[in-house]
Amino acid sequence: MGWQDIVREEPGKQVLLNGNEAMARGALEAGVHFVSAYPGSPSSEVTGVLAQVSKNFNFYVEWSVNEIVALEGAAGASFAGLRALCTMKADGLNVAYDFLTSMNLGGCRGGLVLVVADDPFGHSSLKEYDSRFLAAAAWVPVLEPSTVQEARDMVKWAFALSEQIKGPVIVRSVTRISHSRGIVTLKAMKQMAQEADFKPTQQFHTFARFHQEVRERLKQVEELFAVSPFNFSFGPEKADLTVFTCGTGWLYTKEALFSLQLEDQIKIVRPGTPFPLPKQFILGHLSGTKKVVFIEETRPFLEEKVLALYALHSENLSQIKFYGKATGHVAGLRGPECGEMNTDIVREVLARLTGRPYHASAAPLTKEEKKSLQALLPPRDYVLCPGCPHRASFWVVKSALALEGNNGMVIGDIGCYSMGAMETGFNLFNTLHCMGASAGIANGLSKLQSYGFKQPVVAMVGDSTFYHAVIPALINGRWNKANYLCIVLDNGVTAMTGHQPHPGSGKNAVGEEAEVISIEEVAKSLGFMVKVSDPFRYTEAIHDVLKLIRMPGLKILILRQPCALVANREQKRRKVVVRQELCRGDACGCMRFCTRVWGCPANVWDKKHEVAAIDPAICVGCGVCIELCPAGAIVWEGND
Amino acid sequence: MKVSPKGAPQLKEEVFEPGLCTACGGCVGYCPYIKAAADRVAMIYPCNCEEGQCYQVCPRTLTDLPFFRAQVFGERALEFNKFNQDSLEAVLGVCRALYFARAGAAAGSFQGQYGGVTTSLMRYVLATGKIDGALLVGGKPAQPRPVLATTIQQVEACTGSKYAAFPTLSMLYQPTQNLSSLGLVGRPCQVTALRKMQQVKAGAAGQVKLAIGLFCFWSLGPEFIPWLIEMGLGLIDKMDVTVDEVLFQKGEEVIRQNLAEIRSFIKPSCQLCYDPVAELADLAVGSTEYEADWNTLIVRSQAGENLVKEALQQDILEVKPYPKERLPLLKQAVLTKKQRVLQALKAEKENNRVGYLNLSPAEINFYLKL
């Protein structure tokens, strides 16, 4: 399992991989030369595992500073005739999109594959959306796997397809593919020629006149898709009711048909190549059916394409009634076109259409049922890790802005610290959008003084976000005389996506020593007033925030403490204990500050003695609660 | 004592939000929700306490003055409550004696404000073990910091008025506090807060055995120090305010500014302060606005009287009678302030807002008619 399995040289052997590992294996079987990515759930492990194994194969892997830089690098390799893979989460496609739409016009040479992982329901994303629409708008072909094995197969084939059509190809994954495990039958790994070769006469340009060429390219793709084994059907040859599905919908539908005992009555049509649509394949299956149900992840992409196709060919087809997300028939708890697909949604719509008796396992509960179930469940909200330096930083900024007293605004950004918009982050953020947005929004807000906006503005960005997208906004702010405090929360890694290194980490993707691009040096070189402070030193950090807020112009404060998970792994810090005789319990005016407001999971309540306690198993010894306990009851061990 | 069963939400609504916090520090440090940074005090998070000590100890929440007079002055307060129109006390508060005073020959040399009465007395009580720690404001006028002085040197390092309001009472909540009797030098609002704290047994307030209140017609808010620094006055050694001027002293050099320059920094809560001469203190000390080397000293409590007697015997203090011709001026200054505040509070009551003072209608009428 894991990276040992993805490098196994045993064609025919069955191994258990997750979708991301399978896609990495697909790239290895295709003989990939160049891999680049900015991490982002649920895509991160594709490049992560390839970085782990790259030395065994001698191909190049990098964590790039952001997605567009990653894709540009991969395109460079492709222009030189090499096979390149670039992975990203759906949000990353937006970042890379300007280059993707440009590069797609000029085309590429070596196989260039983008793995784009969507996150329906936003399990680990701020937004959910369907990257197939972006791919279609860019005129880039899309493959959409339904199983872990198929994820491997599609990535592998995508390289060949890309080389054949001389353009990039997108493999769309979703969380349930990337993070599910399935059996993969290994195939041989291809050894590709290693020679990079970019002839002086070769040109890859972006000009509007190439638009037509891309159209021709898509026609060629459609012909290839028409005969692709990734498009298939299942069940009876002729059926009144047909399910058109792609991606995860394939297994959900199979399961639903099995449990409703409808496998012999309903046909499943599974196009694995939703864009461009394999028209003849689809038309063939529309012919002779009366009802069509669409099951797909997030938005009605396949549905809209098929409906348009039906409209164009309706004179040759019998009347069909369509049921899908666009029609409102296929809907989960968040309604149609929103949220994540599951078997129950499929079962419910198919039972309704066939009259099969079915009681949804997620049927609405009565009030009493809900109550009794809730009593069994511990309340679970998003929470920062024990000893997370962000918690300390948030409390510092919360305190400082209260003390500053002018209703200061906090403009949030993307990372673990996005939880600054939640209870665990003391609901600190006034805004939260996308990578780098904080500094840009702060620029704008700070220029509204002539309109009467006088509140202090604080932008909070992570270290990885700083490199990714903040620097241009800071330059803009300095140039245009913006007036705010940019706080960089520097924990040394890209923590949220799995502790990938970034330009400040001193390591690269494959673990080699790398130049440290110091945040303070970058900021100083741009002429900013920069201060580095320790969020664990609460009082001093507040002082620094207040001091900088009051200074005119755009200032930068770096609040630096290593990610608690990393720090705890590297070095166990001092032990924190509660002197329970000093804790005032519920008589304290703090109303259980440590467990209720501060909310570090290591601060726990000793129910027996009705006083505070520390969970020694998870406390990382940051010691911040020592300073915050008003009774002085929390102390370093040895000081008790 | 009249108290309101209120808590942090009301403190926020009635005191912090209207800008009435005096930065006394009485609510800072008992809980994790009210914090101070330098001279700023703020509630940083709602604590959800329905009833809170923070509300009870605040000098700008319901303050039952007659009750506290009785607490601090015993029978003397009853006499005071008769409101004899001719008595000095009716305006200045309980007053066992009123002097011009200055540090005596045995007090040693230091650079105090005016006559150095406060410093010499604090040095003396610390040196003689009457207290073992003093809550003071140290540092230069532009870098004030709270000091819990336990040595004479530390007391001397705190000489001179700071004018920025500093929440020194927060030190009474320091959990490592290991001292048995304490002295406090504070603004009148801080003395009031101290009395309230003593009533609810807050922190180490009960250990404060000597409270020297400073005359204070206003103090300066948090914007003052940044302004000082901006004006290039960040390193001044001493500051003084006269009737129409502010004097900034740096070494031998004295920079004069019109008083109007700093008026905008006066804390809004000072406009509602009824007590410019620390009526609940053991001793109240201020300038004479007449003779620069002397202080005005009001002896209020029995403890204060005892200390002054002893200090005189030991030559720590030197006093002379308060000049008769100056008395009407002092009385008028205090009375004008009181009347202005009573009018303002009356207006607030008419607007259905609650004034913080609990005074009998007789007392209010008495002052307004004077």
Side-chain angles (χ1 to χ4, degrees):
Chain A
M1 206 160 80
W3 72 270
Q4 292 93 339
D5 278 338
I6 83 154
V7 297
R8 224 178 263 278
E9 289 276 11
E10 293 172 70
K13 186 174 174 63
Q14 291 193 322
V15 295
L16 190 65
L17 299 178
N18 74 27
N20 283 344
E21 291 163 347
M23 288 189 276
R25 172 73 189 196
L28 289 177
E29 289 180 2
V32 71
H33 299 114
F34 187 105
V35 181
S36 55
Y38 183 79
S41 299
S43 74
S44 311
E45 297 83 2
V46 184
T47 295
V49 75
L50 286 170
Q52 269 181 296
V53 306
S54 65
K55 281 192 179 148
N56 306 30
F57 294 88
N58 205 24
F59 60 87
Y60 177 79
V61 185
E62 73 170 39
W63 287 120
S64 310
V65 76
N66 64 28
E67 290 87 349
I68 190 167
V69 171
L71 183 58
E72 287 157 354
S78 164
F79 297 158
L82 300 181
R83 289 193 156 182
L85 175 72
C86 184
T87 68
M88 60 196 68
K89 71 183 294 172
D91 310 62
L93 183 58
N94 299 335
V95 178
Y97 202 62
D98 197 8
F99 178 69
L100 178 67
T101 49
S102 309
M103 181 262 288
N104 194 42
L105 285 185
C108 57
R109 194 174 143 221
L112 177 54
V113 177
L114 282 75
V115 168
V116 181
D118 288 359
D119 188 10
F121 193 82
H123 294 283
S124 47
S125 311
L126 291 187
K127 55 183 184 274
E128 60 168 7
Y129 71 116
D130 193 329
S131 57
R132 294 175 300 178
F133 285 91
L134 281 183
W139 277 7
V140 176
V142 180
L143 307 178
E144 193 175 2
S146 292
T147 64
V148 170
Q149 165 128 329
E150 206 175 35
R152 186 275 314 269
D153 295 342
M154 284 186 173
V155 167
K156 183 178 179 181
W157 185 57
F159 284 99
L161 174 63
S162 168
E163 279 163 9
Q164 198 173 347
I165 63 172
K166 296 187 170 54
V169 173
I170 286 178
V171 177
R172 184 219 188 190
S173 181
V174 292
T175 307
R176 302 296 175 185
I177 298 293
S178 283
H179 287 173
S180 295
R181 289 191 177 275
I183 291 169
V184 176
T185 306
L186 300 180
K187 292 182 181 166
M189 284 182 282
K190 199 169 178 179
Q191 292 301 313
M192 296 291 289
Q194 297 286 319
E195 196 78 15
D197 138 47
F198 196 152
K199 292 185 181 66
T201 51
Q202 276 183 318
Q203 288 179 325
F204 298 91
H205 291 164
T206 302
F207 290 111
R209 63 176 184 271
F210 298 140
H211 205 174
Q212 198 182 350
E213 284 181 24
V214 182
R215 192 165 173 273
E216 294 304 316
R217 191 195 300 157
L218 279 182
K219 279 186 182 167
Q220 185 197 350
V221 177
E222 203 185 309
E223 282 165 23
L224 293 166
F225 282 0
V227 295
S228 166
F230 291 129
N231 302 319
F232 55 82
S233 67
F234 175 84
E237 192 55 38
K238 289 276 170 203
D240 285 350
L241 203 164
T242 304
V243 175
F244 279 69
T245 185
C246 53
T248 57
W250 160 243
L251 287 180
Y252 295 143
T253 307
K254 273 184 77 176
E255 189 185 344
L257 292 185
F258 174 77
S259 63
L260 293 169
Q261 298 177 324
L262 285 168
E263 283 166 304
D264 56 346
Q265 295 177 35
I266 295 176
K267 179 162 75 169
I268 310 178
V269 178
R270 207 303 306 262
T273 63
F275 183 81
L277 199 64
K279 292 188 187 107
Q280 291 312 316
F281 169 76
I282 299 289
L283 285 170
H285 288 288
L286 283 176
S287 166
T289 196
K290 290 175 180 158
K291 291 176 181 174
V292 166
V293 176
F294 296 101
I295 301 296
E296 57 188 318
E297 205 65 90
T298 327
R299 297 252 183 99
F301 180 84
L302 178 67
E303 183 178 345
E304 286 178 5
K305 296 274 174 222
V306 172
L307 288 177
L309 189 68
Y310 176 74
L312 286 172
H313 296 271
S314 58
E315 73 238 34
N316 305 322
L317 293 164
S318 56
Q319 183 135 17
I320 301 174
K321 175 95 174 131
F322 293 96
Y323 303 86
K325 294 187 168 193
T327 64
H329 294 92
V330 178
L333 291 174
R334 289 185 177 176
E337 309 188 58
C338 302
E340 196 174 29
M341 184 54 67
N342 62 42
T343 307
D344 278 331
I345 297 172
V346 186
R347 255 198 291 258
E348 195 275 329
V349 66
L350 293 182
R352 190 151 31 96
L353 291 176
T354 57
R356 279 285 148 121
Y358 159 68
H359 297 289
S361 55
L365 300 170
T366 64
K367 266 188 182 171
E368 289 68 34
E369 284 172 330
K370 248 186 193 170
K371 245 187 183 173
S372 62
L373 278 176
Q374 275 168 351
L376 297 172
L377 289 169
R380 284 190 180 177
D381 201 354
Y382 285 90
V383 68
L384 294 159
C385 301
C388 175
H390 296 330
R391 183 183 290 105
S393 297
F394 292 151
W395 195 245
V396 164
V397 173
K398 185 104 187 160
S399 306
L401 288 179
L403 287 161
E404 213 281 334
N406 290 308
N407 296 318
M409 311 281 292
V410 184
I411 312 302
D413 217 299
I414 304 302
C416 296
Y417 61 98
S418 294
M419 284 192 266
M422 302 173 184
E423 189 78 27
T424 187
F426 317 118
N427 300 311
L428 186 64
F429 291 171
N430 293 95
T431 78
L432 176 61
H433 295 92
C434 65
M435 296 286 281
S438 59
I441 293 170
N443 281 337
L445 282 171
S446 79
K447 298 307 294 180
L448 305 181
Q449 297 213 339
S450 61
Y451 295 97
F453 182 86
K454 303 249 164 34
Q455 289 149 267
V457 177
V458 175
M460 290 185 95
V461 308
D463 41 0
S464 197
T465 307
F466 176 85
Y467 301 109
H468 181 290
V470 171
I471 296 170
L474 289 177
I475 294 173
N476 182 73
R478 184 154 171 77
W479 180 32
N480 289 302
K481 299 181 186 165
N483 180 20
Y484 65 96
L485 172 61
C486 178
I487 296 181
V488 184
L489 303 168
D490 182 8
N491 60 9
V493 286
T494 312
M496 186 170 70
T497 51
H499 298 105
Q500 293 82 5
H502 62 51
S505 303
K507 288 230 158 44
N508 64 16
V510 296
E512 294 164 347
E513 295 292 319
E515 190 85 29
V516 174
I517 318 295
S518 147
I519 295 171
E520 50 266 50
E521 290 306 321
V522 171
K524 276 180 199 163
S525 72
L526 296 173
F528 288 108
M529 155 82 204
V530 185
K531 172 104 179 92
V532 183
S533 194
D534 178 354
F536 286 175
R537 301 175 81 93
Y538 173 68
T539 308
E540 287 169 33
I542 288 179
H543 178 80
D544 289 336
V545 172
L546 282 172
K547 193 170 151 190
L548 288 169
I549 283 179
R550 290 170 195 159
M551 288 170 64
L554 171 44
K555 299 84 46 176
I556 294 177
L557 173 66
I558 301 167
L559 289 176
R560 179 170 291 149
Q561 264 293 343
C563 170
L565 296 178
V566 174
N568 201 34
R569 231 178 270 154
E570 285 170 359
Q571 182 194 2
K572 188 80 185 170
R573 285 182 266 192
R574 290 175 69 186
K575 208 172 162 190
V576 177
V577 293
V578 173
R579 286 182 65 184
Q580 296 200 327
E581 76 281 9
L582 290 183
C583 174
R584 302 176 198 139
D586 281 331
C588 183
C590 79
M591 305 272 282
R592 301 192 190 180
F593 168 77
C594 54
T595 51
R596 184 179 62 94
V597 176
W598 177 241
C600 175
N603 290 102
V604 291
W605 190 250
D606 178 342
K607 278 186 188 161
K608 193 175 160 198
H609 300 99
E610 297 196 318
V611 283
I614 299 288
D615 181 346
I618 56 171
C619 174
V620 303
C622 73
V624 180
C625 58
I626 292 176
E627 189 172 346
L628 296 178
C629 172
I634 307 177
V635 293
W636 293 115
E637 189 180 50
N639 293 359
D640 53 343
Chain B
M1 176 177 65
K2 287 197 178 177
V3 292
S4 299
K6 294 181 179 176
Q10 291 82 18
L11 186 70
K12 191 167 190 214
E13 191 189 322
E14 295 172 22
V15 179
F16 284 117
E17 280 171 1
L20 294 185
C21 171
T22 68
C24 71
C27 65
V28 180
Y30 178 70
C31 78
Y33 306 105
I34 302 178
K35 294 279 177 193
D39 51 349
R40 288 161 188 257
V41 175
M43 191 176 295
I44 58 174
Y45 203 86
C47 81
N48 297 346
C49 272
E50 285 173 7
E51 269 185 60
Q53 181 176 295
C54 57
Y55 190 88
Q56 287 179 20
V57 303
C58 176
R60 288 293 178 269
T61 61
L62 185 64
T63 300
D64 189 347
L65 262 188
F67 172 85
F68 286 111
R69 284 179 195 135
Q71 286 292 304
V72 181
F73 307 115
E75 288 189 0
R76 247 353 225 95
L78 297 175
E79 205 172 304
F80 169 85
N81 284 342
K82 287 177 193 157
F83 302 114
N84 179 350
Q85 192 164 340
D86 299 327
S87 95
L88 190 66
E89 287 195 327
V91 174
L92 295 188
V94 173
C95 177
R96 283 182 155 86
L98 173 66
Y99 300 118
F100 266 21
R102 65 180 177 191
S109 76
F110 53 87
Q111 203 198 6
Q113 197 89 353
Y114 315 118
V117 169
T118 306
T119 304
S120 65
L121 286 175
M122 271 298 157
R123 268 170 40 134
Y124 178 69
V125 289
L126 193 64
T128 52
K130 290 181 175 54
I131 62 167
D132 41 24
L135 272 64
L136 309 168
V137 181
K140 293 182 175 176
Q143 299 93 27
R145 60 194 159 80
V147 173
L148 177 56
T150 53
T151 66
I152 289 169
Q153 290 74 20
Q154 285 170 340
V155 172
E156 285 173 3
C158 295
T159 56
S161 299
K162 305 301 183 294
Y163 295 92
F166 218 85
T168 40
L169 290 180
S170 64
M171 287 188 287
L172 291 173
Y173 295 112
Q174 280 178 8
T176 48
Q177 188 73 259
N178 207 10
L179 306 168
S180 59
S181 44
L182 298 167
L184 167 77
V185 176
R187 290 168 281 129
C189 51
Q190 292 184 295
V191 176
T192 305
L194 171 75
R195 297 309 184 202
K196 290 179 136 189
M197 288 170 79
Q198 287 174 333
Q199 205 56 41
V200 298
K201 299 186 169 55
Q207 281 143 251
V208 178
K209 305 297 181 202
L210 174 69
I212 299 184
L214 303 171
F215 287 12
C216 176
F217 282 75
W218 44 256
S219 64
L220 300 170
E223 288 74 31
F224 170 62
I225 290 173
W227 175 83
L228 263 187
I229 294 165
E230 202 178 301
M231 296 294 286
L233 298 168
L235 297 173
I236 52 165
D237 300 314
K238 202 177 162 186
M239 181 178 158
D240 190 13
V241 177
T242 68
V243 179
D244 53 2
E245 270 189 329
V246 199
L247 278 55
F248 301 103
Q249 193 179 326
K250 192 177 158 192
E252 294 302 306
E253 187 191 0
V254 177
I255 299 132
R256 288 167 185 276
Q257 292 265 1
N258 194 306
L259 185 57
E261 289 286 313
I262 64 163
R263 278 208 167 272
S264 63
F265 301 119
I266 293 175
K267 290 176 84 71
S269 69
C270 300
Q271 313 289 4
L272 279 185
C273 178
Y274 182 71
D275 176 17
V277 286
E279 291 186 36
L280 297 175
D282 294 301
L283 297 168
V285 180
S287 89
T288 62
E289 295 197 350
Y290 189 57
E291 290 187 48
D293 294 342
W294 292 81
N295 288 108
T296 300
L297 170 66
I298 303 176
V299 182
R300 296 194 183 282
S301 70
Q302 186 63 56
E305 187 171 55
N306 296 346
L307 175 62
V308 169
K309 267 186 194 160
E310 194 178 321
L312 288 171
Q313 280 163 12
Q314 300 294 326
D315 222 359
I316 295 299
L317 211 60
E318 179 188 347
V319 296
K320 63 179 183 183
Y322 196 89
K324 277 213 168 102
E325 69 276 19
R326 299 292 302 170
L327 258 182
L329 291 171
L330 177 63
K331 269 179 84 171
Q332 194 53 51
V334 175
L335 183 64
T336 307
K337 173 97 175 118
K338 287 192 168 198
Q339 287 176 331
R340 203 186 300 140
V341 172
L342 286 175
Q343 295 286 10
L345 292 179
K346 219 175 152 193
E348 287 206 358
K349 266 193 175 158
E350 280 159 16
N351 293 329
N352 288 325
R353 285 189 53 199
V354 182
Y356 67 96
L357 283 172
N358 180 49
L359 296 174
S360 66
E363 185 169 350
I364 294 172
N365 284 333
F366 171 77
Y367 286 113
L368 291 178
K369 280 179 191 160
L370 266 185

